[in-house]
Amino acid sequence: GQNIDQPTEMTATEGAIVQINCTYQTSGFNGLFWYQQHAGEAPTFLSYNVLDGLEEKGRFSSFLSRSKGYSYLLLKELQMKDSASYLCAVMDSNYQLIWGAGTKLIIKP
Amino acid sequence: GAVVSQHPSRVICKSGTSVKIECRSLDFQATTMFWYRQFPKKSLMLMATSNEGSKATYEQGVEKDKFLINHASLTLSTLTVTSAHPEDSSFYICSVNRGARLAGGPTDTQYFGPGTRLTVL
């Protein structure tokens, strides 16, 4: 079956760095998405990786290793507003999105 | 396993026709379902909130007569794109909130469907 795993909850300190991991097993691969979702709001697109390597976008970076079925989202210089759920989703060979359950990130002062 | 399913997964239609997309909650009853539209590498755009037994609530700028939503049961919501045009081509995703009270406390987790890719020729 198809499966996406990511931690349920993580806690980090304001100003620090946090890495949210995502492992996947899917029927084919057409890219991996990271979304940020604040409570009560629609998810916001953060990144899309289809090739191996690290993509940096400001304070956020996303890494992909297709051979390992692994991705991570790296958040630097954490701010209180980064407290949110972070969703990992993989597009399979049929261009269907397989969603992770989301990681709730709690930022403490 | 999957909590939310969508059907069809992919549909191609001619301009002017109507297309119905189904969203089913597989594991629990859902009084509220959400419909999103996704443009390439962009955020999910909330289109409407589907309420079981009552009219859907549409977001500003979404034409309710064009995107008909019917939430006929606690496990099924449908989105019908009427008189589809090429600009309606997109990826439509539904989600379900699991707000039921379970042993140990309430949950409030959102589950997303796999999406439906609509192509209007």
Side-chain angles (χ1 to χ4, degrees):
Chain A
Q2 309 205 89
N3 195 50
I4 309 282
D5 283 317
Q6 52 181 129
T8 304
E9 187 174 293
M10 299 182 72
T11 303
T13 306
E14 190 177 14
I17 300 173
V18 71
Q19 177 175 311
I20 303 174
N21 296 325
C22 172
T23 58
Y24 63 90
Q25 293 172 312
T26 57
S27 303
F29 180 82
N30 278 300
L32 185 145
F33 297 80
W34 282 100
Y35 289 89
Q36 178 192 61
Q37 186 178 26
H38 287 100
E41 298 180 12
T44 302
F45 169 82
L46 291 178
S47 66
Y48 170 70
N49 293 65
V50 67
L51 299 176
D52 290 349
L54 184 70
E55 298 231 356
E56 297 184 74
K57 200 183 291 185
R59 293 190 298 115
F60 292 5
S61 302
S62 57
F63 171 83
L64 174 68
S65 169
R66 288 172 296 171
S67 62
K68 295 181 179 178
Y70 167 69
S71 171
Y72 67 71
L73 180 69
L74 191 71
L75 293 76
K76 304 176 186 175
E77 300 168 18
L78 286 170
Q79 301 174 9
M80 297 303 292
K81 66 178 182 180
D82 297 330
S83 291
S85 286
Y86 291 86
L87 301 164
C88 171
V90 172
M91 187 162 277
D92 68 11
S93 56
N94 292 318
Y95 295 94
Q96 294 281 279
L97 281 174
I98 314 299
W99 294 86
T103 298
K104 184 177 181 181
L105 178 63
I106 300 168
I107 310 295
K108 295 185 175 179
Chain B
V3 177
V4 180
S5 71
Q6 283 184 237
H7 177 80
S9 58
R10 196 181 306 183
V11 57
I12 301 172
C13 69
K14 293 181 179 179
S15 184
T17 60
S18 294
V19 175
K20 181 187 284 188
I21 302 170
E22 293 184 349
C23 176
R24 290 186 184 273
S25 174
L26 301 178
D27 284 355
F28 53 89
Q29 295 178 332
T31 55
T32 304
M33 295 183 178
F34 303 90
W35 286 97
Y36 295 88
R37 183 172 175 176
Q38 183 181 32
F39 297 93
K41 296 188 182 181
K42 301 245 181 193
S43 298
L44 296 180
M45 182 193 81
L46 179 63
M47 298 174 64
T49 302
S50 171
N51 303 299
E52 190 270 336
S54 63
K55 292 182 179 179
T57 305
Y58 289 83
E59 296 300 304
Q60 194 172 8
V62 178
E63 299 176 58
K64 60 181 180 181
D65 293 331
K66 179 165 185 63
F67 299 99
L68 300 178
I69 291 173
N70 183 20
H71 195 150
S73 76
L74 289 172
T75 58
L76 173 65
S77 175
T78 60
L79 168 68
T80 301
V81 182
T82 62
S83 188
H85 290 282
E87 57 264 30
D88 299 325
S89 298
S90 192
F91 200 54
Y92 293 87
I93 300 171
C94 72
S95 75
V96 175
N97 265 17
R98 186 171 190 169
R101 178 171 288 275
L102 301 177
T107 63
D108 191 20
T109 303
Q110 191 170 19
Y111 296 91
F112 289 87
T116 297
R117 184 170 298 281
L118 171 64
T119 303
V120 184
L121 303 177

